[in-house]
Amino acid sequence: MNLVRTAMLLAFMTALFMALGFLIGGRGGMMIALVIAAGMNFFSYWNSDRMVLSAYHAQEIDERNAPEFFAIIRDLARNAGLPMPKVYLYDSAQPNAFATGRNPENAAVAASTGLLSALTPEEVAGVMAHELAHVQNRDTLTMTITATLAGAISMLGNFAFFFSGNRENNNNPLGFIGVLLAMIVAPLAAMMVQMAISRTREYSADRRGAEICGNPLWLASALGKIARSASHVPNYDAERNPATAHMFIINPLTGAGMDNLFSTHPNTENRIAALQEMARSGMNVSTPPARADNPMRKSRSVPDTGLDRGGSQPPKGPWS
């Protein structure tokens, strides 16, 4: 049902983009919008991971410079039956994480340095299992395309007034009403669809992530900590790229954690309650948890990846 709903929402987003083109330029504008939408989707398919990782200045790590974190991802991927994704860290005090990539064979997961500092090893495993669930459900491509279309619709909406300024060549069939629809209603509708797609996928990823890591309470505990921190610790890159907010496990925009019409994520308390209900319902938590061969120590420091040095090749360093 979630897959069908997501497909319908994406189809609506594409139709909205075409309708916006029609409001601005009539039939010709609609066809141009269709071509642009197809081109943007094609570009997003091949470049979604690079676009998002670049926006957050994420650096790839391996078992040499973050052996324990890398091993946790490896064990979780094995539990999920997934190929090993590329693993990234980005420099932010806000604990958070996201996944990206067009398919499981070309996926990447990224965590903030703040996540590794603030959470226990079990909670880190819960968070990264959630992200691998997005990879397994192929949510990463869907959500990147959604962000691309939403951004394009907002951009066209902003330019609608200028496109309609020359009345002699104005092909807008609805006149000034069409301009208002293009400027206000279309971007608002696109944002609401984007939020609906994100909310649809989060509960599924929570449930599958709990199964991958073996204990729903690990993820439940992590969600509570991340939500409390995200409300007052800013992520400046996310503030500059708000269209990517729905890709994170918790909304990274400061003060945007409320469960209202414009929230990118379901209410955190509801997500935690669902995970706690999973634990109470007898989900098998005796399965060996997804952990590194040599479990992470309880230290709150982070691996020395060179993120604060700006180097393209992170130096070796223990998680000590």
Side-chain angles (χ1 to χ4, degrees), residues 168-224:
E168 293 181 359
N169 298 316
N170 186 10
N171 294 317
N172 182 344
L174 300 181
F176 184 68
I177 295 177
V179 174
L180 288 180
L181 290 173
M183 292 176 61
I184 301 174
V185 177
L188 182 61
M191 182 173 61
M192 292 175 63
V193 171
Q194 184 182 10
M195 305 317 167
I197 290 176
S198 176
R199 292 186 184 193
T200 297
R201 308 315 303 166
E202 288 305 314
Y203 281 115
S204 295
D206 282 347
R207 182 172 184 84
R208 179 57 185 147
E211 294 170 349
I212 291 172
C213 73
N215 193 328
L217 298 181
W218 292 358
L219 178 55
S221 177
L223 288 175

Side-chain angles (χ1 to χ4, degrees), residues 43-254:
F43 181 83
S44 296
Y45 179 83
W46 291 105
N47 298 280
S48 60
D49 52 347
R50 287 190 289 271
M51 289 190 300
V52 177
L53 293 167
S54 176
Y56 290 92
H57 312 288
Q59 292 190 14
E60 186 173 2
I61 59 98
D62 56 32
E63 54 189 347
R64 296 171 303 166
N65 47 35
E68 297 164 7
F69 178 54
F70 188 87
I72 283 213
I73 305 299
R74 182 186 60 217
D75 292 345
L76 289 169
R78 185 184 302 124
N79 283 4
L82 289 169
M84 179 65 184
K86 292 183 179 180
V87 184
Y88 288 80
L89 281 177
Y90 65 94
D91 190 21
S92 173
Q94 182 190 92
N96 225 320
F98 64 88
T100 186
R102 62 184 181 272
N103 54 40
E105 292 71 32
N106 295 275
V109 293
S112 70
T113 52
L115 184 88
L116 304 188
S117 297
L119 271 57
T120 67
E122 292 80 8
E123 291 165 343
V124 170
V127 169
M128 302 317 295
H130 171 99
E131 298 308 326
L132 287 176
H134 277 309
V135 172
Q136 191 168 53
N137 294 337
R138 298 180 181 266
D139 296 336
T140 51
L141 176 62
T142 298
M143 297 169 78
T144 300
I145 290 176
T146 302
T148 302
L149 285 173
I153 289 172
S154 296
M155 179 188 67
L156 281 183
N158 291 335
F159 285 124
F161 181 78
F162 299 100
F163 291 159
S164 61
N166 188 343
R167 297 189 179 277
E168 293 181 359
N169 298 316
N170 186 10
N171 294 317
N172 182 344
L174 300 181
F176 184 68
I177 295 177
V179 174
L180 288 180
L181 290 173
M183 292 176 61
I184 301 174
V185 177
L188 182 61
M191 182 173 61
M192 292 175 63
V193 171
Q194 184 182 10
M195 305 317 167
I197 290 176
S198 176
R199 292 186 184 193
T200 297
R201 308 315 303 166
E202 288 305 314
Y203 281 115
S204 295
D206 282 347
R207 182 172 184 84
R208 179 57 185 147
E211 294 170 349
I212 291 172
C213 73
N215 193 328
L217 298 181
W218 292 358
L219 178 55
S221 177
L223 288 175
K225 288 185 178 181
I226 297 172
R228 287 190 294 271
S229 179
S231 64
H232 62 271
V233 177
N235 181 331
Y236 297 107
D237 287 327
E239 299 290 345
R240 288 190 289 268
N241 299 278
T244 63
H246 66 296
M247 302 184 69
F248 288 79
I249 189 169
I250 290 288
N251 194 332
L253 304 179
T254 305

Side-chain angles (χ1 to χ4, degrees), residues 306-318:
L307 286 170
D308 58 347
R309 299 178 179 85
S312 59
Q313 296 294 329
K316 294 182 180 180

